[in-house]
Amino acid sequence: MRKHLSRRKAAGLKRRIFVFFSIITAIAVLCFFSKTEDKTPVSETDKGLSGGVSDTLQNVCNEVYVEMQREEWNPLNSETAEAELHSGAENKDRDEDSEKSKGPKPYPEKWNVSSETEVIRTTYGEYSGKKFFSLKNGGQVVNYSSLTNSRLLEESVLKPAFKISVNEKPQVLIMHTHTTESYEPYIRSGFDPSFNYRTTDSSKNVIAVGEAIAEKLRAAGIVTIHDETIHDYPSYTGAYERSRNTVEGILKENPSIRVVLDIHRDAIGTESSITQPVAEINGKEAAQVMIISGCDDGTMDMPNYMFNFRFACRLQEQMESMYPGLTRPLLFDYRKYNQNLTTGSLLIEVGSHGNTIEQALYAGSLFGDALTEVLLDLH
């Protein structure tokens, strides 16, 4: 855990150094061209961040600021960061194996909670900024693509590219690329820094959350396969390649499947603190949920990514309309995560490693309710 976090800090520092020099370069270029133009007085409307800074420079600064803040609200470069941003090669994992030993990895029975650590309880609310926009019926999207927000808003109201059958052949596959991702045992002020929040105990990891979702679908007559194959232990590297092989095999045997959900949990924190994003739903705490819908920059072999996005938007809206506050903004970014295998493929982050297993299970149940409504509407 410490090793991964320190590497994230180093990566973040490098990115900030790059951003700093980018700002300096942009300012220098703008200053050079401003000297070649007519020295016309700058109106109040044209003033930027302060004094006589131009709109162009303001836009540059705003974009840089949003990018620098990205980890603060949505630190996706955690265990799931083996998917390489802006490339289609997520199988070239960045992280080293976190576990080399064979055999089961039990969930701790005893905890060495450090007084120097902190569990930060918070609720992520609505965001502002150029990259964020609100969906028609609730929830937000954060857009890290080159597509405009208005274009994505137009796409968000269109129907997905599939229909669902009830009480027939399998329609939904729930699986887990990072199967051993787990949670906090209960609400507490500090945590055990020696635990890396992974276990093969299926009652304590994301398998239990996936089953909570599957139970809701099955109760509504939506035939669902929940695959519990462990893809990230004992070797973490190559998890996405292994999960892809699993999904392809299941799809070959069950061509009726329309939806593939890869259930994860996020990781939000530092070496001394972890974040517990919660929403109170019907008097009970649920882990907040984030949908990730990948898009293609032309290098990822995902020609139908927009169909996934349409499905993601319906699901985001349904969750927020049924359970306000349950969602974090839907992430639309140049990521693949094997989402080219169907037109209903999404990655779902149910809480973070700071959430308790009870909060995550409740969130999974609520997510299952919303997903059921969306799918029945596509019947």
Side-chain angles (χ1 to χ4, degrees):
M1 185 72 172
R2 291 177 182 273
K3 180 177 181 181
H4 285 178
L5 290 170
S6 60
R7 291 177 70 181
R8 289 203 298 277
K9 280 188 172 182
L13 178 60
K14 289 180 181 179
R15 185 160 60 85
R16 282 164 172 74
I17 292 173
F18 172 79
V19 167
F20 173 77
F21 282 106
S22 297
I23 294 174
I24 297 299
T25 302
I27 292 173
V29 171
L30 289 167
C31 289
F32 172 79
F33 282 107
S34 66
K35 290 181 180 179
T36 65
E37 296 174 352
D38 295 335
K39 303 196 181 307
T40 309
V42 180
S43 68
E44 288 296 320
T45 330
D46 293 329
K47 289 182 180 178
L49 297 176
S50 64
V53 182
S54 70
D55 280 347
T56 305
L57 180 56
Q58 181 181 3
N59 291 336
V60 171
C61 292
N62 285 341
E63 290 294 326
V64 168
Y65 175 78
V66 170
E67 184 64 22
M68 291 179 71
Q69 292 299 308
R70 184 175 182 182
E71 282 187 345
E72 300 303 318
W73 82 271
N74 181 26
L76 287 173
N77 57 341
S78 57
E79 284 96 341
T80 60
E82 63 180 285
E84 296 186 5
L85 190 60
H86 304 307
S87 78
E90 67 263 49
N91 292 327
K92 298 178 180 178
D93 302 338
R94 293 179 181 179
D95 289 341
E96 297 177 357
D97 290 346
S98 61
E99 299 290 344
K100 294 293 185 182
S101 59
K102 296 182 178 180
K105 177 176 171 53
Y107 193 74
E109 295 182 358
K110 297 181 179 180
W111 298 95
N112 299 311
V113 178
S114 170
S115 60
E116 297 180 355
T117 64
E118 179 184 14
V119 178
I120 302 173
R121 288 166 51 80
T122 189
T123 299
Y124 291 112
E126 192 168 289
Y127 289 86
S128 60
K130 293 190 299 182
K131 290 187 179 294
F132 296 90
F133 66 91
S134 297
L135 295 170
K136 181 180 179 181
N137 296 314
Q140 286 187 302
V141 173
V142 57
N143 174 21
Y144 279 102
S145 76
S146 61
L147 300 173
T148 64
N149 290 348
S150 58
R151 163 72 192 286
L152 293 182
L153 192 57
E154 291 174 357
E155 289 285 345
S156 72
V157 300
L158 300 179
K159 288 186 176 181
F162 60 85
K163 290 186 179 296
I164 290 293
S165 298
V166 177
N167 295 319
E168 294 183 9
K169 296 179 180 180
Q171 304 294 297
V172 178
L173 168 62
I174 294 173
M175 42 73 63
H176 314 273
T177 295
H178 295 150
T179 322
T180 64
E181 290 180 333
S182 63
Y183 300 87
E184 279 280 278
Y186 43 78
I187 295 175
R188 54 188 180 182
S189 58
F191 63 94
D192 183 348
S194 66
F195 180 48
N196 72 348
Y197 292 90
R198 295 183 193 152
T199 180
T200 54
D201 183 344
S202 61
S203 69
K204 303 295 185 182
N205 63 26
V206 291
I207 289 177
V209 178
E211 188 58 25
I213 299 169
E215 287 175 359
K216 292 289 187 173
L217 297 175
R218 292 171 185 147
I222 301 171
V223 181
T224 301
I225 295 174
H226 181 199
D227 183 80
E228 300 183 8
T229 302
I230 295 176
H231 298 107
D232 62 338
Y233 183 85
S235 176
Y236 184 80
T237 302
Y240 273 97
E241 183 177 357
R242 288 188 290 275
S243 68
R244 182 182 184 88
N245 290 337
T246 294
V247 172
E248 287 178 331
I250 294 173
L251 291 178
K252 185 176 181 180
E253 294 178 3
N254 301 275
S256 58
I257 289 175
R258 298 291 178 260
V259 172
V260 177
L261 300 178
D262 191 354
I263 308 299
H264 292 245
R265 61 107 178 104
D266 208 346
I268 310 174
T270 67
E271 290 188 10
S272 61
S273 68
I274 58 177
T275 299
Q276 186 179 102
V278 293
E280 185 174 316
I281 310 293
N282 297 328
K284 185 177 178 180
E285 286 188 345
Q288 287 187 291
V289 178
M290 180 173 67
I291 301 172
I292 301 179
S293 182
C295 58
D296 193 350
D297 61 358
T299 66
M300 299 182 183
D301 189 28
M302 293 175 63
N304 298 318
Y305 69 87
M306 200 60 81
F307 292 127
N308 290 331
F309 178 70
R310 295 175 188 176
F311 174 45
C313 290
R314 287 205 168 194
L315 187 50
Q316 181 83 348
E317 289 179 315
Q318 191 68 42
M319 279 194 286
E320 273 301 307
S321 63
M322 292 176 66
Y323 307 116
L326 179 60
T327 69
R328 294 161 63 190
L330 188 167
L331 177 65
F332 185 71
D333 198 359
Y334 293 112
R335 298 166 184 258
K336 189 172 183 180
Y337 296 132
N338 295 330
Q339 291 183 8
N340 62 334
L341 296 180
T342 73
T343 57
S345 293
L346 298 172
L347 188 149
I348 312 296
E349 302 270 15
V350 181
S352 178
H353 64 325
N355 286 105
T356 68
I357 182 64
E358 183 179 3
Q359 292 167 347
L361 288 173
Y362 185 42
S365 180
L366 298 177
F367 175 86
D369 287 336
L371 176 61
T372 297
E373 292 299 316
V374 170
L375 295 182
L376 289 179
D377 188 53
L378 296 170
H379 177 217

